[in-house]
mmCIF file with all atom_site columns, all heavy atoms in Angstrom:
data_model
loop_
_atom_site.group_PDB
_atom_site.id
_atom_site.type_symbol
_atom_site.label_atom_id
_atom_site.label_alt_id
_atom_site.label_comp_id
_atom_site.label_asym_id
_atom_site.label_entity_id
_atom_site.label_seq_id
_atom_site.pdbx_PDB_ins_code
_atom_site.Cartn_x
_atom_site.Cartn_y
_atom_site.Cartn_z
_atom_site.occupancy
_atom_site.B_iso_or_equiv
_atom_site.pdbx_formal_charge
_atom_site.auth_seq_id
_atom_site.auth_comp_id
_atom_site.auth_asym_id
_atom_site.auth_atom_id
_atom_site.pdbx_PDB_model_num
ATOM 1   N N   . ALA Y 1 1  ? 0.834  -1.199  0.000   1.00 0.00 ? 14 ALA Y N   1
ATOM 2   C CA  . ALA Y 1 1  ? 0.000  0.000   0.000   1.00 0.00 ? 14 ALA Y CA  1
ATOM 3   C C   . ALA Y 1 1  ? 0.871  1.253   0.000   1.00 0.00 ? 14 ALA Y C   1
ATOM 4   O O   . ALA Y 1 1  ? 0.579  2.230   -0.708  1.00 0.00 ? 14 ALA Y O   1
ATOM 5   C CB  . ALA Y 1 1  ? -0.929 -0.004  1.213   1.00 0.00 ? 14 ALA Y CB  1
ATOM 6   N N   . ARG Y 1 2  ? 1.950  1.238   0.782   1.00 0.00 ? 15 ARG Y N   1
ATOM 7   C CA  . ARG Y 1 2  ? 2.847  2.393   0.815   1.00 0.00 ? 15 ARG Y CA  1
ATOM 8   C C   . ARG Y 1 2  ? 3.507  2.600   -0.551  1.00 0.00 ? 15 ARG Y C   1
ATOM 9   O O   . ARG Y 1 2  ? 3.619  3.732   -1.045  1.00 0.00 ? 15 ARG Y O   1
ATOM 10  C CB  . ARG Y 1 2  ? 3.909  2.203   1.895   1.00 0.00 ? 15 ARG Y CB  1
ATOM 11  C CG  . ARG Y 1 2  ? 4.844  3.402   2.027   1.00 0.00 ? 15 ARG Y CG  1
ATOM 12  C CD  . ARG Y 1 2  ? 5.799  3.278   3.195   1.00 0.00 ? 15 ARG Y CD  1
ATOM 13  N NE  . ARG Y 1 2  ? 6.711  2.147   3.039   1.00 0.00 ? 15 ARG Y NE  1
ATOM 14  C CZ  . ARG Y 1 2  ? 6.615  1.016   3.718   1.00 0.00 ? 15 ARG Y CZ  1
ATOM 15  N NH1 . ARG Y 1 2  ? 5.657  0.856   4.619   1.00 0.00 ? 15 ARG Y NH1 1
ATOM 16  N NH2 . ARG Y 1 2  ? 7.481  0.030   3.525   1.00 0.00 ? 15 ARG Y NH2 1
ATOM 17  N N   . GLN Y 1 3  ? 3.949  1.510   -1.199  1.00 0.00 ? 16 GLN Y N   1
ATOM 18  C CA  . GLN Y 1 3  ? 4.565  1.626   -2.525  1.00 0.00 ? 16 GLN Y CA  1
ATOM 19  C C   . GLN Y 1 3  ? 3.577  2.198   -3.540  1.00 0.00 ? 16 GLN Y C   1
ATOM 20  O O   . GLN Y 1 3  ? 3.937  3.037   -4.382  1.00 0.00 ? 16 GLN Y O   1
ATOM 21  C CB  . GLN Y 1 3  ? 5.057  0.262   -2.984  1.00 0.00 ? 16 GLN Y CB  1
ATOM 22  C CG  . GLN Y 1 3  ? 6.202  -0.317  -2.163  1.00 0.00 ? 16 GLN Y CG  1
ATOM 23  C CD  . GLN Y 1 3  ? 6.522  -1.752  -2.556  1.00 0.00 ? 16 GLN Y CD  1
ATOM 24  O OE1 . GLN Y 1 3  ? 6.268  -2.173  -3.683  1.00 0.00 ? 16 GLN Y OE1 1
ATOM 25  N NE2 . GLN Y 1 3  ? 7.068  -2.521  -1.619  1.00 0.00 ? 16 GLN Y NE2 1
ATOM 26  N N   . ALA Y 1 4  ? 2.324  1.748   -3.467  1.00 0.00 ? 17 ALA Y N   1
ATOM 27  C CA  . ALA Y 1 4  ? 1.308  2.245   -4.403  1.00 0.00 ? 17 ALA Y CA  1
ATOM 28  C C   . ALA Y 1 4  ? 1.039  3.731   -4.180  1.00 0.00 ? 17 ALA Y C   1
ATOM 29  O O   . ALA Y 1 4  ? 0.879  4.501   -5.147  1.00 0.00 ? 17 ALA Y O   1
ATOM 30  C CB  . ALA Y 1 4  ? 0.021  1.437   -4.242  1.00 0.00 ? 17 ALA Y CB  1
ATOM 31  N N   . PHE Y 1 5  ? 1.008  4.137   -2.914  1.00 0.00 ? 18 PHE Y N   1
ATOM 32  C CA  . PHE Y 1 5  ? 0.782  5.555   -2.617  1.00 0.00 ? 18 PHE Y CA  1
ATOM 33  C C   . PHE Y 1 5  ? 1.941  6.402   -3.140  1.00 0.00 ? 18 PHE Y C   1
ATOM 34  O O   . PHE Y 1 5  ? 1.733  7.468   -3.734  1.00 0.00 ? 18 PHE Y O   1
ATOM 35  C CB  . PHE Y 1 5  ? 0.612  5.747   -1.112  1.00 0.00 ? 18 PHE Y CB  1
ATOM 36  C CG  . PHE Y 1 5  ? 0.341  7.170   -0.700  1.00 0.00 ? 18 PHE Y CG  1
ATOM 37  C CD1 . PHE Y 1 5  ? -0.824 7.818   -1.085  1.00 0.00 ? 18 PHE Y CD1 1
ATOM 38  C CD2 . PHE Y 1 5  ? 1.272  7.874   0.069   1.00 0.00 ? 18 PHE Y CD2 1
ATOM 39  C CE1 . PHE Y 1 5  ? -1.075 9.126   -0.707  1.00 0.00 ? 18 PHE Y CE1 1
ATOM 40  C CE2 . PHE Y 1 5  ? 1.035  9.189   0.443   1.00 0.00 ? 18 PHE Y CE2 1
ATOM 41  C CZ  . PHE Y 1 5  ? -0.148 9.813   0.056   1.00 0.00 ? 18 PHE Y CZ  1
ATOM 42  N N   . GLU Y 1 6  ? 3.155  5.939   -2.949  1.00 0.00 ? 19 GLU Y N   1
ATOM 43  C CA  . GLU Y 1 6  ? 4.322  6.668   -3.450  1.00 0.00 ? 19 GLU Y CA  1
ATOM 44  C C   . GLU Y 1 6  ? 4.309  6.716   -4.980  1.00 0.00 ? 19 GLU Y C   1
ATOM 45  O O   . GLU Y 1 6  ? 4.744  7.711   -5.590  1.00 0.00 ? 19 GLU Y O   1
ATOM 46  C CB  . GLU Y 1 6  ? 5.600  6.011   -2.938  1.00 0.00 ? 19 GLU Y CB  1
ATOM 47  C CG  . GLU Y 1 6  ? 5.787  6.176   -1.428  1.00 0.00 ? 19 GLU Y CG  1
ATOM 48  C CD  . GLU Y 1 6  ? 6.928  5.334   -0.867  1.00 0.00 ? 19 GLU Y CD  1
ATOM 49  O OE1 . GLU Y 1 6  ? 7.460  4.483   -1.632  1.00 0.00 ? 19 GLU Y OE1 1
ATOM 50  O OE2 . GLU Y 1 6  ? 7.277  5.508   0.316   1.00 0.00 ? 19 GLU Y OE2 1
ATOM 51  N N   . HIS Y 1 7  ? 3.803  5.665   -5.619  1.00 0.00 ? 20 HIS Y N   1
ATOM 52  C CA  . HIS Y 1 7  ? 3.679  5.632   -7.080  1.00 0.00 ? 20 HIS Y CA  1
ATOM 53  C C   . HIS Y 1 7  ? 2.718  6.735   -7.550  1.00 0.00 ? 20 HIS Y C   1
ATOM 54  O O   . HIS Y 1 7  ? 3.010  7.441   -8.527  1.00 0.00 ? 20 HIS Y O   1
ATOM 55  C CB  . HIS Y 1 7  ? 3.179  4.255   -7.516  1.00 0.00 ? 20 HIS Y CB  1
ATOM 56  C CG  . HIS Y 1 7  ? 2.989  4.108   -8.995  1.00 0.00 ? 20 HIS Y CG  1
ATOM 57  N ND1 . HIS Y 1 7  ? 4.029  3.882   -9.873  1.00 0.00 ? 20 HIS Y ND1 1
ATOM 58  C CD2 . HIS Y 1 7  ? 1.855  4.160   -9.754  1.00 0.00 ? 20 HIS Y CD2 1
ATOM 59  C CE1 . HIS Y 1 7  ? 3.559  3.804   -11.103 1.00 0.00 ? 20 HIS Y CE1 1
ATOM 60  N NE2 . HIS Y 1 7  ? 2.246  3.958   -11.063 1.00 0.00 ? 20 HIS Y NE2 1
ATOM 61  N N   . VAL Y 1 8  ? 1.598  6.873   -6.851  1.00 0.00 ? 21 VAL Y N   1
ATOM 62  C CA  . VAL Y 1 8  ? 0.640  7.927   -7.207  1.00 0.00 ? 21 VAL Y CA  1
ATOM 63  C C   . VAL Y 1 8  ? 1.278  9.299   -7.008  1.00 0.00 ? 21 VAL Y C   1
ATOM 64  O O   . VAL Y 1 8  ? 1.140  10.198  -7.856  1.00 0.00 ? 21 VAL Y O   1
ATOM 65  C CB  . VAL Y 1 8  ? -0.644 7.795   -6.351  1.00 0.00 ? 21 VAL Y CB  1
ATOM 66  C CG1 . VAL Y 1 8  ? -1.557 9.002   -6.552  1.00 0.00 ? 21 VAL Y CG1 1
ATOM 67  C CG2 . VAL Y 1 8  ? -1.386 6.517   -6.711  1.00 0.00 ? 21 VAL Y CG2 1
ATOM 68  N N   . GLN Y 1 9  ? 2.006  9.472   -5.893  1.00 0.00 ? 22 GLN Y N   1
ATOM 69  C CA  . GLN Y 1 9  ? 2.661  10.758  -5.638  1.00 0.00 ? 22 GLN Y CA  1
ATOM 70  C C   . GLN Y 1 9  ? 3.650  11.100  -6.749  1.00 0.00 ? 22 GLN Y C   1
ATOM 71  O O   . GLN Y 1 9  ? 3.754  12.261  -7.166  1.00 0.00 ? 22 GLN Y O   1
ATOM 72  C CB  . GLN Y 1 9  ? 3.394  10.714  -4.294  1.00 0.00 ? 22 GLN Y CB  1
ATOM 73  C CG  . GLN Y 1 9  ? 2.481  10.758  -3.069  1.00 0.00 ? 22 GLN Y CG  1
ATOM 74  C CD  . GLN Y 1 9  ? 3.282  10.767  -1.781  1.00 0.00 ? 22 GLN Y CD  1
ATOM 75  O OE1 . GLN Y 1 9  ? 4.112  9.891   -1.538  1.00 0.00 ? 22 GLN Y OE1 1
ATOM 76  N NE2 . GLN Y 1 9  ? 3.039  11.772  -0.946  1.00 0.00 ? 22 GLN Y NE2 1
ATOM 77  N N   . SER Y 1 10 ? 4.373  10.105  -7.212  1.00 0.00 ? 23 SER Y N   1
ATOM 78  C CA  . SER Y 1 10 ? 5.384  10.350  -8.256  1.00 0.00 ? 23 SER Y CA  1
ATOM 79  C C   . SER Y 1 10 ? 4.768  10.652  -9.608  1.00 0.00 ? 23 SER Y C   1
ATOM 80  O O   . SER Y 1 10 ? 5.470  11.098  -10.524 1.00 0.00 ? 23 SER Y O   1
ATOM 81  C CB  . SER Y 1 10 ? 6.316  9.140   -8.368  1.00 0.00 ? 23 SER Y CB  1
ATOM 82  O OG  . SER Y 1 10 ? 5.630  8.011   -8.899  1.00 0.00 ? 23 SER Y OG  1
ATOM 83  N N   . HIS Y 1 11 ? 3.474  10.409  -9.744  1.00 0.00 ? 24 HIS Y N   1
ATOM 84  C CA  . HIS Y 1 11 ? 2.755  10.705  -10.989 1.00 0.00 ? 24 HIS Y CA  1
ATOM 85  C C   . HIS Y 1 11 ? 1.786  11.866  -10.793 1.00 0.00 ? 24 HIS Y C   1
ATOM 86  O O   . HIS Y 1 11 ? 0.626  11.833  -11.233 1.00 0.00 ? 24 HIS Y O   1
ATOM 87  C CB  . HIS Y 1 11 ? 2.011  9.461   -11.496 1.00 0.00 ? 24 HIS Y CB  1
ATOM 88  C CG  . HIS Y 1 11 ? 2.908  8.414   -12.083 1.00 0.00 ? 24 HIS Y CG  1
ATOM 89  N ND1 . HIS Y 1 11 ? 3.687  7.575   -11.295 1.00 0.00 ? 24 HIS Y ND1 1
ATOM 90  C CD2 . HIS Y 1 11 ? 3.179  8.083   -13.393 1.00 0.00 ? 24 HIS Y CD2 1
ATOM 91  C CE1 . HIS Y 1 11 ? 4.381  6.761   -12.082 1.00 0.00 ? 24 HIS Y CE1 1
ATOM 92  N NE2 . HIS Y 1 11 ? 4.092  7.047   -13.354 1.00 0.00 ? 24 HIS Y NE2 1
ATOM 93  N N   . ASN Y 1 12 ? 2.268  12.873  -10.095 1.00 0.00 ? 25 ASN Y N   1
ATOM 94  C CA  . ASN Y 1 12 ? 1.511  14.115  -9.916  1.00 0.00 ? 25 ASN Y CA  1
ATOM 95  C C   . ASN Y 1 12 ? 0.166  13.875  -9.246  1.00 0.00 ? 25 ASN Y C   1
ATOM 96  O O   . ASN Y 1 12 ? -0.839 14.505  -9.583  1.00 0.00 ? 25 ASN Y O   1
ATOM 97  C CB  . ASN Y 1 12 ? 1.311  14.820  -11.265 1.00 0.00 ? 25 ASN Y CB  1
ATOM 98  C CG  . ASN Y 1 12 ? 0.967  16.290  -11.100 1.00 0.00 ? 25 ASN Y CG  1
ATOM 99  O OD1 . ASN Y 1 12 ? 1.363  16.923  -10.111 1.00 0.00 ? 25 ASN Y OD1 1
ATOM 100 N ND2 . ASN Y 1 12 ? 0.216  16.829  -12.050 1.00 0.00 ? 25 ASN Y ND2 1
ATOM 101 N N   . ASP Y 1 13 ? 0.147  12.933  -8.277  1.00 0.00 ? 26 ASP Y N   1
ATOM 102 C CA  . ASP Y 1 13 ? -1.053 12.633  -7.492  1.00 0.00 ? 26 ASP Y CA  1
ATOM 103 C C   . ASP Y 1 13 ? -2.237 12.227  -8.365  1.00 0.00 ? 26 ASP Y C   1
ATOM 104 O O   . ASP Y 1 13 ? -3.390 12.523  -8.046  1.00 0.00 ? 26 ASP Y O   1
ATOM 105 C CB  . ASP Y 1 13 ? -1.446 13.833  -6.611  1.00 0.00 ? 26 ASP Y CB  1
ATOM 106 C CG  . ASP Y 1 13 ? -0.380 14.166  -5.589  1.00 0.00 ? 26 ASP Y CG  1
ATOM 107 O OD1 . ASP Y 1 13 ? 0.187  13.234  -5.008  1.00 0.00 ? 26 ASP Y OD1 1
ATOM 108 O OD2 . ASP Y 1 13 ? -0.109 15.366  -5.381  1.00 0.00 ? 26 ASP Y OD2 1
ATOM 109 N N   . SER Y 1 14 ? -1.964 11.544  -9.462  1.00 0.00 ? 27 SER Y N   1
ATOM 110 C CA  . SER Y 1 14 ? -3.035 11.107  -10.361 1.00 0.00 ? 27 SER Y CA  1
ATOM 111 C C   . SER Y 1 14 ? -3.413 9.660   -10.063 1.00 0.00 ? 27 SER Y C   1
ATOM 112 O O   . SER Y 1 14 ? -2.578 8.749   -10.151 1.00 0.00 ? 27 SER Y O   1
ATOM 113 C CB  . SER Y 1 14 ? -2.590 11.229  -11.820 1.00 0.00 ? 27 SER Y CB  1
ATOM 114 O OG  . SER Y 1 14 ? -3.547 10.646  -12.677 1.00 0.00 ? 27 SER Y OG  1
ATOM 115 N N   . LEU Y 1 15 ? -4.677 9.434   -9.738  1.00 0.00 ? 28 LEU Y N   1
ATOM 116 C CA  . LEU Y 1 15 ? -5.139 8.077   -9.465  1.00 0.00 ? 28 LEU Y CA  1
ATOM 117 C C   . LEU Y 1 15 ? -5.159 7.217   -10.725 1.00 0.00 ? 28 LEU Y C   1
ATOM 118 O O   . LEU Y 1 15 ? -5.171 5.985   -10.634 1.00 0.00 ? 28 LEU Y O   1
ATOM 119 C CB  . LEU Y 1 15 ? -6.535 8.117   -8.836  1.00 0.00 ? 28 LEU Y CB  1
ATOM 120 C CG  . LEU Y 1 15 ? -6.616 8.704   -7.421  1.00 0.00 ? 28 LEU Y CG  1
ATOM 121 C CD1 . LEU Y 1 15 ? -8.060 8.717   -6.929  1.00 0.00 ? 28 LEU Y CD1 1
ATOM 122 C CD2 . LEU Y 1 15 ? -5.746 7.906   -6.452  1.00 0.00 ? 28 LEU Y CD2 1
ATOM 123 N N   . ALA Y 1 16 ? -5.138 7.857   -11.891 1.00 0.00 ? 29 ALA Y N   1
ATOM 124 C CA  . ALA Y 1 16 ? -5.083 7.090   -13.138 1.00 0.00 ? 29 ALA Y CA  1
ATOM 125 C C   . ALA Y 1 16 ? -3.804 6.263   -13.219 1.00 0.00 ? 29 ALA Y C   1
ATOM 126 O O   . ALA Y 1 16 ? -3.750 5.243   -13.917 1.00 0.00 ? 29 ALA Y O   1
ATOM 127 C CB  . ALA Y 1 16 ? -5.179 8.039   -14.336 1.00 0.00 ? 29 ALA Y CB  1
ATOM 128 N N   . ALA Y 1 17 ? -2.780 6.696   -12.468 1.00 0.00 ? 30 ALA Y N   1
ATOM 129 C CA  . ALA Y 1 17 ? -1.503 5.981   -12.498 1.00 0.00 ? 30 ALA Y CA  1
ATOM 130 C C   . ALA Y 1 17 ? -1.576 4.625   -11.812 1.00 0.00 ? 30 ALA Y C   1
ATOM 131 O O   . ALA Y 1 17 ? -0.685 3.783   -11.985 1.00 0.00 ? 30 ALA Y O   1
ATOM 132 C CB  . ALA Y 1 17 ? -0.418 6.837   -11.834 1.00 0.00 ? 30 ALA Y CB  1
ATOM 133 N N   . LEU Y 1 18 ? -2.610 4.385   -11.025 1.00 0.00 ? 31 LEU Y N   1
ATOM 134 C CA  . LEU Y 1 18 ? -2.727 3.114   -10.315 1.00 0.00 ? 31 LEU Y CA  1
ATOM 135 C C   . LEU Y 1 18 ? -2.791 1.922   -11.267 1.00 0.00 ? 31 LEU Y C   1
ATOM 136 O O   . LEU Y 1 18 ? -2.313 0.833   -10.951 1.00 0.00 ? 31 LEU Y O   1
ATOM 137 C CB  . LEU Y 1 18 ? -3.967 3.114   -9.413  1.00 0.00 ? 31 LEU Y CB  1
ATOM 138 C CG  . LEU Y 1 18 ? -3.877 3.930   -8.126  1.00 0.00 ? 31 LEU Y CG  1
ATOM 139 C CD1 . LEU Y 1 18 ? -5.231 3.949   -7.420  1.00 0.00 ? 31 LEU Y CD1 1
ATOM 140 C CD2 . LEU Y 1 18 ? -2.811 3.337   -7.205  1.00 0.00 ? 31 LEU Y CD2 1
ATOM 141 N N   . ALA Y 1 19 ? -3.387 2.139   -12.448 1.00 0.00 ? 32 ALA Y N   1
ATOM 142 C CA  . ALA Y 1 19 ? -3.514 1.035   -13.410 1.00 0.00 ? 32 ALA Y CA  1
ATOM 143 C C   . ALA Y 1 19 ? -2.141 0.558   -13.876 1.00 0.00 ? 32 ALA Y C   1
ATOM 144 O O   . ALA Y 1 19 ? -1.981 -0.614  -14.254 1.00 0.00 ? 32 ALA Y O   1
ATOM 145 C CB  . ALA Y 1 19 ? -4.359 1.474   -14.603 1.00 0.00 ? 32 ALA Y CB  1
ATOM 146 N N   . GLY Y 1 20 ? -1.148 1.441   -13.843 1.00 0.00 ? 33 GLY Y N   1
ATOM 147 C CA  . GLY Y 1 20 ? 0.188  1.074   -14.292 1.00 0.00 ? 33 GLY Y CA  1
ATOM 148 C C   . GLY Y 1 20 ? 1.113  0.625   -13.179 1.00 0.00 ? 33 GLY Y C   1
ATOM 149 O O   . GLY Y 1 20 ? 2.289  0.315   -13.435 1.00 0.00 ? 33 GLY Y O   1
ATOM 150 N N   . PHE Y 1 21 ? 0.605  0.582   -11.945 1.00 0.00 ? 34 PHE Y N   1
ATOM 151 C CA  . PHE Y 1 21 ? 1.435  0.133   -10.829 1.00 0.00 ? 34 PHE Y CA  1
ATOM 152 C C   . PHE Y 1 21 ? 1.622  -1.383  -10.892 1.00 0.00 ? 34 PHE Y C   1
ATOM 153 O O   . PHE Y 1 21 ? 0.653  -2.132  -11.026 1.00 0.00 ? 34 PHE Y O   1
ATOM 154 C CB  . PHE Y 1 21 ? 0.784  0.526   -9.501  1.00 0.00 ? 34 PHE Y CB  1
ATOM 155 C CG  . PHE Y 1 21 ? 1.510  0.021   -8.288  1.00 0.00 ? 34 PHE Y CG  1
ATOM 156 C CD1 . PHE Y 1 21 ? 2.771  0.493   -7.970  1.00 0.00 ? 34 PHE Y CD1 1
ATOM 157 C CD2 . PHE Y 1 21 ? 0.931  -0.948  -7.471  1.00 0.00 ? 34 PHE Y CD2 1
ATOM 158 C CE1 . PHE Y 1 21 ? 3.451  0.019   -6.852  1.00 0.00 ? 34 PHE Y CE1 1
ATOM 159 C CE2 . PHE Y 1 21 ? 1.594  -1.426  -6.352  1.00 0.00 ? 34 PHE Y CE2 1
ATOM 160 C CZ  . PHE Y 1 21 ? 2.865  -0.942  -6.044  1.00 0.00 ? 34 PHE Y CZ  1
ATOM 161 N N   . ARG Y 1 22 ? 2.872  -1.829  -10.811 1.00 0.00 ? 35 ARG Y N   1
ATOM 162 C CA  . ARG Y 1 22 ? 3.172  -3.259  -10.892 1.00 0.00 ? 35 ARG Y CA  1
ATOM 163 C C   . ARG Y 1 22 ? 2.999  -3.866  -9.507  1.00 0.00 ? 35 ARG Y C   1
ATOM 164 O O   . ARG Y 1 22 ? 3.852  -3.720  -8.632  1.00 0.00 ? 35 ARG Y O   1
ATOM 165 C CB  . ARG Y 1 22 ? 4.584  -3.478  -11.418 1.00 0.00 ? 35 ARG Y CB  1
ATOM 166 C CG  . ARG Y 1 22 ? 4.770  -2.951  -12.839 1.00 0.00 ? 35 ARG Y CG  1
ATOM 167 C CD  . ARG Y 1 22 ? 6.140  -3.287  -13.373 1.00 0.00 ? 35 ARG Y CD  1
ATOM 168 N NE  . ARG Y 1 22 ? 6.326  -4.740  -13.471 1.00 0.00 ? 35 ARG Y NE  1
ATOM 169 C CZ  . ARG Y 1 22 ? 7.451  -5.305  -13.917 1.00 0.00 ? 35 ARG Y CZ  1
ATOM 170 N NH1 . ARG Y 1 22 ? 8.475  -4.559  -14.287 1.00 0.00 ? 35 ARG Y NH1 1
ATOM 171 N NH2 . ARG Y 1 22 ? 7.546  -6.630  -13.965 1.00 0.00 ? 35 ARG Y NH2 1
ATOM 172 N N   . LEU Y 1 23 ? 1.893  -4.521  -9.324  1.00 0.00 ? 36 LEU Y N   1
ATOM 173 C CA  . LEU Y 1 23 ? 1.551  -5.086  -8.020  1.00 0.00 ? 36 LEU Y CA  1
ATOM 174 C C   . LEU Y 1 23 ? 2.480  -6.269  -7.717  1.00 0.00 ? 36 LEU Y C   1
ATOM 175 O O   . LEU Y 1 23 ? 2.454  -7.281  -8.422  1.00 0.00 ? 36 LEU Y O   1
ATOM 176 C CB  . LEU Y 1 23 ? 0.088  -5.554  -8.041  1.00 0.00 ? 36 LEU Y CB  1
ATOM 177 C CG  . LEU Y 1 23 ? -0.581 -5.828  -6.688  1.00 0.00 ? 36 LEU Y CG  1
ATOM 178 C CD1 . LEU Y 1 23 ? -0.771 -4.534  -5.917  1.00 0.00 ? 36 LEU Y CD1 1
ATOM 179 C CD2 . LEU Y 1 23 ? -1.944 -6.491  -6.923  1.00 0.00 ? 36 LEU Y CD2 1
ATOM 180 N N   . PRO Y 1 24 ? 3.329  -6.145  -6.667  1.00 0.00 ? 37 PRO Y N   1
ATOM 181 C CA  . PRO Y 1 24 ? 4.254  -7.247  -6.366  1.00 0.00 ? 37 PRO Y CA  1
ATOM 182 C C   . PRO Y 1 24 ? 3.554  -8.487  -5.841  1.00 0.00 ? 37 PRO Y C   1
ATOM 183 O O   . PRO Y 1 24 ? 4.035  -9.596  -6.010  1.00 0.00 ? 37 PRO Y O   1
ATOM 184 C CB  . PRO Y 1 24 ? 5.186  -6.636  -5.317  1.00 0.00 ? 37 PRO Y CB  1
ATOM 185 C CG  . PRO Y 1 24 ? 4.393  -5.538  -4.681  1.00 0.00 ? 37 PRO Y CG  1
ATOM 186 C CD  . PRO Y 1 24 ? 3.512  -5.000  -5.763  1.00 0.00 ? 37 PRO Y CD  1
ATOM 187 N N   . ARG Y 1 25 ? 2.448  -8.290  -5.174  1.00 0.00 ? 38 ARG Y N   1
ATOM 188 C CA  . ARG Y 1 25 ? 1.666  -9.434  -4.668  1.00 0.00 ? 38 ARG Y CA  1
ATOM 189 C C   . ARG Y 1 25 ? 0.219  -8.973  -4.525  1.00 0.00 ? 38 ARG Y C   1
ATOM 190 O O   . ARG Y 1 25 ? -0.059 -7.789  -4.445  1.00 0.00 ? 38 ARG Y O   1
ATOM 191 C CB  . ARG Y 1 25 ? 2.219  -9.935  -3.338  1.00 0.00 ? 38 ARG Y CB  1
ATOM 192 C CG  . ARG Y 1 25 ? 2.193  -8.908  -2.227  1.00 0.00 ? 38 ARG Y CG  1
ATOM 193 C CD  . ARG Y 1 25 ? 2.831  -9.464  -0.953  1.00 0.00 ? 38 ARG Y CD  1
ATOM 194 N NE  . ARG Y 1 25 ? 4.215  -9.822  -1.148  1.00 0.00 ? 38 ARG Y NE  1
ATOM 195 C CZ  . ARG Y 1 25 ? 5.224  -8.938  -1.041  1.00 0.00 ? 38 ARG Y CZ  1
ATOM 196 N NH1 . ARG Y 1 25 ? 4.965  -7.669  -0.761  1.00 0.00 ? 38 ARG Y NH1 1
ATOM 197 N NH2 . ARG Y 1 25 ? 6.459  -9.318  -1.221  1.00 0.00 ? 38 ARG Y NH2 1
ATOM 198 N N   . GLY Y 1 26 ? -0.704 -9.950  -4.482  1.00 0.00 ? 39 GLY Y N   1
ATOM 199 C CA  . GLY Y 1 26 ? -2.104 -9.612  -4.352  1.00 0.00 ? 39 GLY Y CA  1
ATOM 200 C C   . GLY Y 1 26 ? -2.887 -9.952  -5.605  1.00 0.00 ? 39 GLY Y C   1
ATOM 201 O O   . GLY Y 1 26 ? -2.332 -10.361 -6.636  1.00 0.00 ? 39 GLY Y O   1
ATOM 202 N N   . ASP Y 1 27 ? -4.197 -9.773  -5.520  1.00 0.00 ? 40 ASP Y N   1
ATOM 203 C CA  . ASP Y 1 27 ? -5.100 -10.109 -6.623  1.00 0.00 ? 40 ASP Y CA  1
ATOM 204 C C   . ASP Y 1 27 ? -5.074 -8.997  -7.668  1.00 0.00 ? 40 ASP Y C   1
ATOM 205 O O   . ASP Y 1 27 ? -5.653 -7.928  -7.471  1.00 0.00 ? 40 ASP Y O   1
ATOM 206 C CB  . ASP Y 1 27 ? -6.516 -10.293 -6.061  1.00 0.00 ? 40 ASP Y CB  1
ATOM 207 C CG  . ASP Y 1 27 ? -7.465 -10.897 -7.073  1.00 0.00 ? 40 ASP Y CG  1
ATOM 208 O OD1 . ASP Y 1 27 ? -7.382 -10.510 -8.252  1.00 0.00 ? 40 ASP Y OD1 1
ATOM 209 O OD2 . ASP Y 1 27 ? -8.299 -11.734 -6.682  1.00 0.00 ? 40 ASP Y OD2 1
ATOM 210 N N   . ARG Y 1 28 ? -4.404 -9.238  -8.792  1.00 0.00 ? 41 ARG Y N   1
ATOM 211 C CA  . ARG Y 1 28 ? -4.228 -8.192  -9.807  1.00 0.00 ? 41 ARG Y CA  1
ATOM 212 C C   . ARG Y 1 28 ? -5.535 -7.836  -10.504 1.00 0.00 ? 41 ARG Y C   1
ATOM 213 O O   . ARG Y 1 28 ? -5.736 -6.696  -10.916 1.00 0.00 ? 41 ARG Y O   1
ATOM 214 C CB  . ARG Y 1 28 ? -3.177 -8.632  -10.820 1.00 0.00 ? 41 ARG Y CB  1
ATOM 215 C CG  . ARG Y 1 28 ? -1.807 -8.803  -10.172 1.00 0.00 ? 41 ARG Y CG  1
ATOM 216 C CD  . ARG Y 1 28 ? -0.720 -9.141  -11.176 1.00 0.00 ? 41 ARG Y CD  1
ATOM 217 N NE  . ARG Y 1 28 ? 0.557  -9.296  -10.492 1.00 0.00 ? 41 ARG Y NE  1
ATOM 218 C CZ  . ARG Y 1 28 ? 1.713  -9.568  -11.103 1.00 0.00 ? 41 ARG Y CZ  1
ATOM 219 N NH1 . ARG Y 1 28 ? 1.722  -9.724  -12.426 1.00 0.00 ? 41 ARG Y NH1 1
ATOM 220 N NH2 . ARG Y 1 28 ? 2.819  -9.694  -10.401 1.00 0.00 ? 41 ARG Y NH2 1
ATOM 221 N N   . GLY Y 1 29 ? -6.423 -8.820  -10.649 1.00 0.00 ? 42 GLY Y N   1
ATOM 222 C CA  . GLY Y 1 29 ? -7.711 -8.520  -11.276 1.00 0.00 ? 42 GLY Y CA  1
ATOM 223 C C   . GLY Y 1 29 ? -8.529 -7.552  -10.440 1.00 0.00 ? 42 GLY Y C   1
ATOM 224 O O   . GLY Y 1 29 ? -9.113 -6.593  -10.964 1.00 0.00 ? 42 GLY Y O   1
#
């Protein structure tokens, strides 16, 4: 969750960037 939040921050706080986050573990669908 922390990595995903930092990913959004690095993309100008855009939630659209979540689709491109490479989920290391968890249900990707």
Side-chain angles (χ1 to χ4, degrees):
R15 183 174 64 254
Q16 294 172 26
F18 181 65
E19 291 170 351
H20 179 79
V21 171
Q22 287 182 305
S23 69
H24 287 76
N25 199 28
D26 297 319
S27 172
L28 292 179
L31 285 174
F34 176 67
R35 297 185 63 180
L36 196 68
R38 61 183 61 85
D40 191 320
R41 296 184 180 181

